[in-house]
Amino acid sequence: MPRLLIPLATLTLAASACGPGEGRPPTDQPSEGVVDEEGTDLTAPGILTAACGSGEVTLTLLSDEDGTELSARTFDTDSVTGGESEHFPFGHAVLPQEGSVRGVDCENADPFLNDRELLFVSFVEELDGTEVNGFGVVDEAGTLTALSPPRDTGDFTVLSDYTRPHLDRERNRIVFVEQEGDEGDGTVHALDLGSGETTPIGECETHCHTITLPPGAESPLFGLATHRIVVDPGSGLAAASHGAYEPSVFLFDPGSESTDGFPEFSYGTGEPTNVMGEVAHMFEGPSLLVENDELTVVEFTAEDLTADGAVGDDLGSRTLVPPSERTNTSPQPSPDGTEIVFLSETESGEASWYRVPFDGSTEPERISDVPAEHLGSTIVAWQ
């Protein structure tokens, strides 16, 4: 599970960081999960990894004790066909353009819906000679079902684009933007995944392309949509990454300003920390896990955003991994939030999975080496 802009001939999956305890959205027809030949469910306890190859996505469930492969499933995203899904009766068949389903984001669990049965995707189709964007789900057989609202067509009808889809697991909905023609403004909608009903929740103007919905946030935010954003549900405080090559972290209150009725933030509305890396997860407290080679944990309060000198060196922080020449990525919290699992690679390319207590009480413990067939996979959930 898992910052997108959707050009007309490409697909990107809705992505956002996923904190501990966040469930998969239910539907009116709940799935029993994906089961392999030996009877292991892909939703069973373990470490879920994802590998994005050319035209396919592979999910693999591994033991968090010894790294043994428990179950695996591969989705074809290259040669999809339009159809209907039994999991979403309100969905409808579409005729996607060849190659329009691609660009899968394997960094988080958000693209995996309904007990891992389906991939949540965006796509491009051609209607009345016009390319339009939509979103839906793809099953293992390569059947694409559109969940975005159907369109009325006609010779002089202006067709809507459905862009920026974000999965809101807690509220069992998808938030997206409807735009018409080349205009920059649009309407933000919420699609109920149980009933299929679509409800407008606000208007956007020049900021439509930067709308995002971090896990834990009560409403969409505007700004920095191409960077990771995490929110503490308890306090409402948030953090985001700034910079492309050596990103630093800044903290902000997403309710400090408002645009078109939605909270707006920018570099100017936050306070930078002295931590380099991408924001990964937010825990109640709040405590922020930063993805860098030492896996830094930053602890802060609302007062730290305004008190002179409180942000930066004075923030409470600790590292979970000793300094080394290894590259450490894909940190994911355990279901109870007490441990972190991550992928560690040497300069020569050898890789292993490790686990480490979130409180930093002990050094990382190696789970197992990463087999050759799993090199290039990322950890998307510890369940």
Side-chain angles (χ1 to χ4, degrees):
M1 305 201 30
R3 306 174 299 281
L4 59 92
L5 295 175
I6 305 179
L8 281 180
T10 63
L11 165 130
T12 319
L13 293 186
S16 59
C18 189
E22 292 177 8
R24 291 168 297 276
T27 68
D28 288 344
Q29 298 181 350
S31 167
E32 296 180 354
V34 181
V35 181
D36 68 2
E37 295 180 356
E38 298 181 358
T40 303
D41 192 324
L42 269 179
T43 63
I47 299 170
L48 185 70
T49 67
C52 290
S54 177
E56 67 179 26
V57 177
T58 299
L59 297 179
T60 305
L61 182 66
L62 308 166
S63 166
D64 56 12
E65 296 296 330
D66 58 12
T68 303
E69 181 177 314
L70 303 177
S71 184
R73 194 173 194 190
T74 298
F75 295 84
D76 182 357
T77 58
D78 192 20
S79 303
V80 297
T81 57
E84 298 181 352
S85 170
E86 62 178 350
H87 302 290
F88 298 101
F90 60 85
H92 55 279
V94 296
L95 295 175
Q97 291 185 343
E98 183 178 354
S100 68
V101 178
R102 63 176 185 264
V104 175
D105 180 357
C106 276
E107 292 186 359
N108 66 88
D110 278 356
F112 312 117
L113 266 174
N114 204 35
D115 290 346
R116 321 301 182 190
E117 290 278 0
L118 306 165
L119 294 182
F120 172 42
V121 304
S122 298
F123 61 86
V124 176
E125 63 173 328
E126 184 175 314
L127 293 175
D128 292 342
T130 302
E131 291 182 334
V132 292
N133 291 283
F135 58 86
V137 289
V138 173
D139 64 17
E140 189 182 21
T143 302
L144 170 65
T145 302
L147 302 183
S148 48
R151 300 172 175 86
D152 294 327
T153 60
D155 291 343
F156 301 100
T157 300
V158 178
L159 299 177
S160 297
D161 258 329
Y162 300 124
T163 65
R164 309 292 302 171
H166 293 275
L167 176 61
D168 186 349
R169 295 177 178 276
E170 294 182 357
R171 297 166 182 81
N172 192 33
R173 64 179 184 171
I174 294 172
V175 173
F176 66 97
V177 177
E178 178 183 8
Q179 295 177 280
E180 293 185 355
D182 297 327
E183 299 296 327
D185 58 341
T187 303
V188 184
H189 296 277
L191 170 70
D192 186 284
L193 284 171
S195 65
E197 294 183 2
T198 299
T199 305
I201 58 176
E203 302 293 327
C204 58
E205 295 181 358
T206 57
H207 297 279
C208 289
H209 66 288
T210 65
I211 193 171
T212 187
L213 184 66
E218 293 185 0
S219 67
L221 306 176
F222 284 113
L224 293 184
T226 58
H227 296 274
R228 296 185 189 177
I229 305 166
V230 291
V231 176
D232 172 35
S235 66
L237 299 178
S241 303
H242 167 58
Y245 299 103
E246 290 186 340
S248 58
V249 174
F250 71 93
L251 312 173
F252 64 95
D253 179 356
S256 59
E257 296 187 15
S258 180
T259 295
D260 301 326
F262 297 105
E264 179 187 14
F265 62 94
S266 64
Y267 300 124
T269 62
E271 296 287 348
T273 74
N274 62 341
V275 176
M276 304 296 288
E278 295 271 7
V279 298
H281 301 278
M282 186 80 83
F283 301 85
E284 290 187 8
S287 295
L288 172 68
L289 176 64
V290 179
E291 181 178 335
N292 52 25
D293 288 337
E294 297 181 4
L295 296 186
T296 302
V297 176
V298 180
E299 297 174 342
F300 64 99
T301 66
E303 288 72 24
D304 293 329
L305 300 183
T306 57
D308 291 341
V311 174
D313 293 336
D314 293 336
L315 281 182
S317 65
R318 61 179 179 273
T319 58
L320 304 183
V321 180
S324 69
E325 298 301 320
R326 304 178 73 94
T327 300
N328 304 308
T329 59
S330 300
Q332 293 289 340
S334 60
D336 62 4
T338 61
E339 292 185 276
I340 303 295
V341 66
F342 63 96
L343 178 67
S344 183
E345 297 184 67
T346 66
E347 290 183 329
S348 62
E350 298 175 347
S352 301
W353 289 295
Y354 282 82
R355 59 196 299 168
V356 62
F358 182 68
D359 62 10
S361 57
T362 63
E363 291 193 357
E365 175 187 355
R366 179 178 165 277
I367 297 175
S368 71
D369 289 337
V370 177
E373 62 269 25
H374 293 304
L375 291 175
S377 297
T378 57
I379 303 172
V380 295
W382 188 355
Q383 56 199 33

